[in-house]
Amino acid sequence: MTRAEEFQELRPLLFSIAYRILGSVSEAEDAVQETWLRYAASSTRPASTKAFLSAVVTRISIDVLRSARVRREEYVGPWFPEPLLTDPYQDPERTAELADSVSMAALLLLERLSPLERAVFVLREVFGFGFDEVASAVGRSEAACRQLAVRARRHMDAGRPRFEAGRREREELAERFFHALREGDVNGLAELLAADVHLVADSGGKAPRWGAGIIAGAGNVARALTTLVAPFARIGGVVEPHQVNGQPGAIVRDRDGKVINIWALDILDGQIQAIHTVLNPDKLTHLGPVADAWAVIRETTQTRRPRSDPKG
């Protein structure tokens, strides 16, 4: 097998590692490409290509994350990870870990960790690397990595809900949610939402946030969604249910099929606890052509206004 073939075989794993460390599709893809360039330029063949490439992409991702942290501190409004519709790496033995670690909620928890803690947690807890491999990847001793893993696990466990919904339960609840949304059923929607549910938008200051940046409370969120979706549907807009970061969500498209934003539903204990929306166009380009959200909002707003009586 050639180097290129070896690399292509491992590319899904490398991307999945980088994405969980960085929370960015574009930055993860860049990290994977840089890993290839370093591998292609290397004059020696490693004993384990998987271990070598995983270590390289991890080190690159740690460096990128350190600089990204500064930018995220200056980010306008709430910051969410770039949405991922499909995780390219699959491992039947680690299905649960992989699915849980890529959710919006989990990635936001990972943001609380230091770059080293995050890398150690991803390699050890998500992908099951041995501590010797983790130590080699992050340039620390095995003992230090064990301590980093303990701290990371403690932070992650403290932020996780005690009872998580099963996949089937989440999907069934999401079906009911989108049905009520299409019907404009405010009461039906409110029943599916937790009392303290919050709708939070990440626009990065580059797109309208469709109302306040954060809307809280079941009644408020249900009314906001139905008030938005009805006129949006009249101008040909579509809320397309879709898995987002391994969880129920939706792609919101204009009449031409261009992406306006992404919804990710955080479901727990039979109710929707949060709806994260990504509107920043810079975080949507990997999903296809992006719509002009400002133009869509203007057109949607016009459909809400009552028409004047022609007899005046």
Side-chain angles (χ1 to χ4, degrees):
M1 186 180 294
T2 66
R3 285 196 178 202
E5 290 171 336
E6 286 181 318
F7 185 83
Q8 287 303 319
E9 187 175 276
L10 290 166
R11 178 183 283 273
L13 170 63
L14 303 179
F15 173 85
S16 293
I17 291 172
Y19 177 75
R20 285 164 174 79
I21 295 175
L22 294 167
S24 166
V25 172
S26 56
E27 289 175 344
E29 289 175 341
D30 288 345
V32 171
Q33 182 60 25
E34 177 62 23
T35 299
W36 161 246
L37 293 176
R38 295 188 187 184
Y39 183 47
S42 175
S43 59
T44 60
R45 296 292 287 264
S48 169
T49 305
K50 176 183 175 182
F52 175 80
L53 293 178
S54 298
V56 172
V57 81
T58 296
R59 292 182 199 127
I60 292 171
S61 297
I62 289 172
D63 289 342
V64 173
L65 182 59
R66 284 171 173 151
S67 60
R69 282 289 174 88
V70 176
R71 297 193 300 273
R72 290 174 192 178
E73 289 174 358
E74 301 171 350
Y75 195 79
V76 178
W79 180 93
F80 296 153
E82 288 184 10
L84 182 68
L85 300 187
T86 304
D87 187 354
Y89 180 72
Q90 301 297 323
D91 181 350
E93 295 183 0
R94 307 196 66 81
T95 299
E97 292 88 346
L98 291 171
D100 177 65
S101 65
V102 82
S103 70
M104 282 278 182
L107 290 172
L108 288 172
L109 280 177
L110 284 169
E111 282 292 303
R112 303 179 185 181
L113 307 181
S114 71
L116 274 178
E117 288 173 340
R118 185 165 181 167
V120 169
F121 183 88
V122 167
L123 292 177
R124 177 61 184 174
E125 301 297 324
V126 179
F127 292 96
F129 281 77
F131 275 111
D132 57 335
E133 296 171 304
V134 175
S136 175
V138 303
R140 295 292 188 275
S141 68
E142 288 189 39
C145 288
R146 290 179 187 277
Q147 292 179 342
L148 288 166
V150 169
R151 288 204 301 268
R153 197 180 305 115
R154 186 183 302 126
H155 285 305
M156 294 296 288
D157 289 344
R160 281 187 175 128
R162 290 181 60 193
F163 304 104
E164 297 187 26
R167 177 171 294 276
R168 184 170 182 177
E169 179 186 352
R170 293 196 301 265
E171 292 175 350
E172 290 177 350
L173 182 58
E175 287 179 9
R176 293 162 55 200
F177 170 81
F178 288 114
H179 175 75
L181 189 62
R182 287 191 295 269
E183 296 297 315
D185 183 357
V186 177
N187 292 331
L189 272 178
E191 290 176 358
L192 302 173
L193 303 174
D196 59 350
V197 66
H198 50 280
L199 170 64
V200 190
D202 171 353
S203 70
K206 299 182 178 182
R209 289 190 287 178
W210 293 21
I214 300 177
I215 302 174
N220 292 333
V221 171
R223 284 189 292 272
L225 289 175
T226 52
T227 299
L228 167 69
V229 169
F232 179 64
R234 285 198 291 272
I235 65 170
V238 177
V239 178
E240 175 187 309
H242 201 290
Q243 289 284 304
V244 176
N245 287 77
Q247 307 293 318
I251 306 173
V252 181
R253 301 182 185 274
D254 69 3
R255 65 163 66 90
D256 299 318
K258 294 181 179 179
V259 179
I260 299 173
N261 71 336
I262 294 292
W263 297 0
L265 308 183
D266 185 4
I267 297 174
L268 171 68
D269 197 24
Q271 291 183 308
I272 296 171
Q273 305 292 326
I275 303 173
H276 298 102
T277 75
V278 179
L279 282 145
N280 186 338
D282 295 344
K283 295 185 177 184
L284 302 173
T285 55
H286 63 286
L287 304 177
V290 178
D292 181 348
W294 295 103
V296 173
I297 284 289
R298 286 194 295 270
E299 188 175 0
T300 302
T301 302
Q302 289 171 0
T303 68
R304 294 184 190 148
R305 297 173 182 166
R307 295 181 180 179
S308 58
D309 187 346
K311 295 182 181 179

